[in-house]
Amino acid sequence: MPGVGDGRPAIADIHGRCDALLACGWRRVEIAAQVTERGESLPIHAYFNSTSVDRVLIGGIHGREPAGAIALSRYAGRLASLGGAPHILLLPLLNPWGYSRHLRYGPSGQSVSDSDHLLGRAPAPACPEAAAITAFVLDAVRINPGAAVLDLHEDPVYEAPEYHLEGQGSYLYVSGEGGLDHPVARRVYRCLEASPLPLIKEGLTRFGEQLVDGVIVDTEDGSIDELLAKKRACCPVITTELVLHSEATPPLSERVSTYLHVLDAFFGP
Ligand SMILES: [Zn+2]
């Protein structure tokens, strides 16, 4: 794996920590694989402790946003200690190819979990991973109505030098009927608000979305989060963003630590 200058662990470390769940009765499925230039296969794994789930954890969709995948893998021990309740689907690293290369998208240059083909906006899946990942969450596992979703992203604003967002910190997307007032969303909101990477309350994202009190509500971005909100009635669907002014600003350790606290908030007191 080529080195990335932010200190992120190898893919094997992410998977190894999650594999510890298998000894606690969790199952692992390979949803798809990404093939490297050298013919190496990088599996995209799903872990779950029931085939009917009420919580969904997602990380590693975009390869320049490693903190979520790392935090989820480090949280696996805590998930094991929850003892089978609640019923959880964990998708820790959906784009290992991008993670290892520090690239946003997968090998086909498309978002690995793009869902526009199932939201009536595209005739076909954007890439093979998008076909497999969306089919998996809709067909292979039952995600119950009202399931809470947490999708951990980061926003590498340094990709767009002409763009400027005032402030250091975080913001979030919340979807689902009444999602913003849901206790799970309130806990995650308060956790980020009080974190060392606090919510940026006002401004415009580089995708042109207006932040209102640090939140964008019910966005239509073709993401797996929109898919889960609309096709599985998940609520709240929470997508968190940590703003990156360079690949190590703020430092990766601080971002992972923040996301470990967000995971605690997601699961509650
Ligand atoms: Zn992202």
Side-chain angles (χ1 to χ4, degrees), residues 62 65 104 153-154 241:
H62 296 138
E65 307 168 16
R104 180 176 181 85
H153 283 253
E154 305 189 80
E241 302 277 357

Side-chain angles (χ1 to χ4, degrees), residues 103-129:
L103 293 173
R104 180 176 181 85
Y105 296 128
S108 52
Q110 301 289 331
S111 181
V112 296
S113 52
D114 186 278
S115 302
D116 272 343
H117 61 295
L118 296 170
L119 291 164
R121 300 191 199 115
C127 57
E129 301 97 311

Side-chain angles (χ1 to χ4, degrees), residues 9-164:
I11 292 170
D13 179 88
I14 304 282
H15 285 161
R17 288 171 184 262
C18 296
D19 284 349
L21 289 166
L22 304 180
C24 305
W26 286 55
R27 288 180 55 200
R28 183 186 73 199
V29 166
E30 181 175 320
I31 304 175
Q34 296 170 309
V35 179
T36 70
E37 302 82 346
R38 292 188 295 180
E40 185 191 2
S41 181
L42 303 175
I44 298 171
H45 284 159
Y47 300 82
F48 45 93
N49 62 357
S50 171
T51 52
S52 169
V53 303
D54 301 305
R55 303 276 180 149
V56 182
L57 301 171
I58 304 173
I61 287 177
H62 296 138
R64 287 180 157 182
E65 307 168 16
I70 299 166
L72 287 171
S73 71
R74 294 195 184 161
Y75 206 72
R78 172 96 174 91
L79 294 179
S81 75
L82 294 174
H87 294 164
I88 302 165
L89 169 63
L90 168 64
L91 306 169
L93 181 56
L94 287 180
N95 181 14
W97 187 93
Y99 177 93
S100 64
R101 281 158 186 74
H102 196 50
L103 293 173
R104 180 176 181 85
Y105 296 128
S108 52
Q110 301 289 331
S111 181
V112 296
S113 52
D114 186 278
S115 302
D116 272 343
H117 61 295
L118 296 170
L119 291 164
R121 300 191 199 115
C127 57
E129 301 97 311
I133 291 168
T134 54
F136 181 84
V137 299
L138 292 189
D139 303 330
V141 174
R142 178 176 161 78
I143 299 175
N144 293 314
V149 178
L150 180 63
D151 184 2
L152 300 170
H153 283 253
E154 305 189 80
D155 184 1
V157 297
Y158 60 85
E159 286 179 347
E162 73 287 354
Y163 168 77
H164 181 71

Side-chain angles (χ1 to χ4, degrees), residues 163-168 170-171 189 198-205 209-216 243:
Y163 168 77
H164 181 71
L165 180 64
E166 204 60 56
Q168 306 256 3
S170 56
Y171 62 92
Y189 184 96
L199 288 172
I200 299 168
K201 296 289 179 75
E202 290 174 17
L204 204 60
T205 73
E209 302 145 321
Q210 184 71 49
L211 289 169
V212 177
D213 272 339
V215 184
I216 298 142
V243 175

Side-chain angles (χ1 to χ4, degrees), residues 198-247:
L199 288 172
I200 299 168
K201 296 289 179 75
E202 290 174 17
L204 204 60
T205 73
R206 64 193 167 111
F207 304 106
E209 302 145 321
Q210 184 71 49
L211 289 169
V212 177
D213 272 339
V215 184
I216 298 142
V217 175
D218 289 330
T219 191
E220 297 192 326
D221 55 6
S223 66
I224 193 171
D225 304 322
E226 184 187 355
L227 182 74
L228 291 173
K230 291 196 173 153
K231 299 295 182 184
R232 285 298 174 266
C234 292
C235 185
V237 178
I238 305 165
T239 312
T240 54
E241 302 277 357
L242 305 180
V243 175
L244 306 185
H245 291 284
S246 81
E247 64 182 49

